[in-house]
């Protein structure tokens, strides 16, 4: 990691990284990050109009920026999950704190709900095996 960056720089860096993805959807791309000390879990959901596509992001592209952004927060008020929505030229960030997260709901189920809240109650298409998809 290089010199410490400002929060605004890190958020702008996330936006440019999300937009640079080959699967980026200008209709809406939702990056979800669960961050803890030295641990990250990521997912991307793409609004494809009639459905939502799930895409696993490249952790290396996001890891340092997300860890740095998370570490900027005071220890007593660090978020656990971040929902980073890019739609057209707009971005919206939602931070979830420990008390906001239903721990009895599996991570992927929570994230599906967030994607459908952002893009509508459309079916979600997950990659499954080689060249096929599983629709849920």
């Amino acid at each position: 990691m290089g010199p410490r960056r400002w929060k605004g720089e890190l958020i702008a860096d996330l936006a440019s990284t999300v937009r640079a993805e080959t699967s980026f959807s200008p209709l809406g791309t939702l990056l979800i990050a669960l961050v803890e000390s030295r641990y990250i879990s990521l997912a991307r959901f793409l609004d494809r109009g009639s459905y939502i596509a799930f895409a696993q992001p490249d952790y290396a592209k996001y890891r340092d920026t997300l860890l740095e952004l998370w570490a900027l927060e005071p220890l007593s008020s660090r978020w656990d999950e971040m929902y980073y929505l890019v739609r057209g030229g707009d971005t919206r960030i939602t931070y979830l704190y420990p008390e906001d997260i239903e721990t009895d709901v599996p991570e992927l189920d929570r994230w599906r709900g967030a994607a459908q809240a952002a893009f509508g109650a459309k079916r979600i298409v997950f990659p499954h095996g080689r060249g096929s998809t599983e629709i849920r």
Side-chain angles (χ1 to χ4, degrees):
M1 235 186 295
R4 188 172 179 153
R5 298 184 287 168
W6 296 98
K7 189 173 186 175
E9 286 178 87
L10 296 168
I11 290 170
D13 187 32
L14 279 178
S16 63
T17 303
V18 168
R19 284 188 175 97
E21 294 279 0
T22 56
S23 61
F24 173 74
S25 173
L27 296 175
T29 298
L30 176 64
L31 174 71
I32 299 178
L34 183 148
V35 180
E36 297 173 4
S37 180
R38 300 180 187 265
Y39 173 80
I40 294 178
S41 183
L42 298 174
R44 248 180 331 136
F45 292 90
L46 311 153
D47 187 346
R48 295 292 190 211
S50 61
Y51 66 95
I52 300 167
F54 173 85
Q56 190 63 55
D58 179 351
Y59 279 64
K61 290 180 181 180
Y62 296 96
R63 180 185 51 243
D64 292 344
T65 301
L66 286 167
L67 285 172
E68 196 173 343
L69 186 61
W70 179 80
L72 281 176
E73 300 299 328
L75 187 58
S76 61
S77 60
R78 285 192 177 146
W79 46 270
D80 278 2
E81 287 185 7
M82 176 178 56
Y83 298 172
Y84 193 88
L85 176 64
V86 178
R87 182 178 279 143
D90 298 328
T91 59
R92 185 177 75 211
I93 303 169
T94 303
Y95 297 104
L96 294 168
Y97 297 88
E99 61 273 10
D100 301 325
I101 297 172
E102 295 180 51
T103 55
D104 58 332
V105 176
E107 186 176 282
L108 188 55
D109 289 343
R110 256 194 339 266
W111 294 357
R112 276 188 217 150
Q116 289 179 326
F119 304 133
K122 303 173 188 178
R123 74 184 191 281
I124 299 177
V125 178
F126 290 85
H128 184 70
R130 293 187 171 181
S132 63
T133 58
E134 181 178 341
I135 299 174
R136 295 184 185 169

